[in-house]
Amino acid sequence: WFSLFGAFSGFNRMEDCYQDMTKHIHALETGLSSDPPMNWRLSKLDRFALVSNSDCHSSWPWRIGREANVFELDAPTYKGVVDAIRAKDPARFKFTIETDPAYGKYHWTGHRNCKVSMPPQEAIKFGNRCPVCRRNLTKGVEQRVEELADRSSEFKLPSAVSFRHLLPLSEI
């Protein structure tokens, strides 16, 4: 909800949030409820490397490592990792490991109390109101991407670091 482009953040551009400090930001985390193809739809994010990390703060230890970044470096140093990310160098920053965004509890628009979850098109059809109780729905990441996107869902950023969707072992 309150992440950089979350429905309640109030920001539609990096510069709106970080102003003159934006020039010091080189990477953005996709988060569990989005993946690189969703982020590629926003041309304003092209200059940033996309990284993916898992919830090490989760109360379920099997969730650790379900998202990750894969590097091939001469030596595993902080500087080496940072340089590979900044350069978006596919020889060193090989790919990210992503869980399918649909597993993220904030991917679709919904209302937790009424156990309602729906894709953007359906939420819009209901006027972003819960069909059960008529309260406002919480806008999901997919719907927020639809609002901000200036590219189709088929677009692939040619210079992007690769990614792989993997199903977490605990889900099998």
Side-chain angles (χ1 to χ4, degrees):
W1 294 356
F2 296 102
S3 64
L4 175 61
F5 295 121
F8 298 112
S9 73
F11 304 115
N12 292 334
R13 299 177 329 119
M14 291 285 292
E15 294 77 11
D16 294 340
C17 181
Y18 297 108
Q19 301 172 357
D20 62 332
M21 293 287 110
T22 303
K23 65 185 173 204
H24 300 290
I25 301 170
H26 303 283
L28 299 173
E29 184 182 20
T30 57
L32 182 61
S33 295
S34 80
D35 62 7
M38 291 174 72
N39 287 269
W40 295 337
R41 296 190 60 203
L42 284 69
S43 63
K44 58 187 152 204
L45 302 183
D46 288 355
R47 73 178 195 89
F48 302 100
L50 298 176
V51 297
S52 189
N53 302 290
S54 64
D55 293 335
C56 63
H57 58 82
S58 176
S59 58
W60 296 288
W62 59 87
R63 289 189 171 165
I64 295 172
R66 66 182 167 179
E67 297 211 346
N69 306 289
V70 177
F71 296 93
E72 189 172 311
L73 305 170
D74 292 333
T77 65
Y78 175 80
K79 183 179 180 344
V81 169
V82 170
D83 288 346
I85 290 171
R86 282 185 178 170
K88 296 194 282 185
D89 178 3
R92 295 180 293 155
F93 186 1
K94 302 305 260 182
F95 57 90
T96 61
I97 296 172
E98 310 278 341
T99 300
D100 187 312
Y103 279 95
K105 68 179 177 179
Y106 302 116
H107 181 66
W108 275 1
T109 297
H111 188 213
R112 188 176 312 176
N113 292 345
C114 294
K115 296 180 176 40
V116 170
S117 179
M118 60 185 76
Q121 301 80 359
E122 194 174 340
I124 292 166
K125 184 178 83 178
F126 283 107
N128 287 310
R129 300 284 225 176
C130 177
V132 176
C133 72
R134 303 301 304 150
R135 290 193 173 144
N136 286 337
L137 293 169
T138 299
K139 196 176 293 181
V141 174
E142 187 174 327
Q143 187 170 344
R144 187 69 171 130
V145 167
E146 287 295 327
E147 290 175 356
L148 298 173
D150 57 351
R151 294 177 172 145
S152 76
S153 58
E154 292 80 35
F155 179 83
K156 182 183 185 307
L157 186 64
S159 63
V161 170
S162 186
F163 76 97
R164 296 188 184 149
H165 277 143
L166 293 179
L167 187 62
L169 188 58
S170 63
E171 301 291 332
I172 297 175

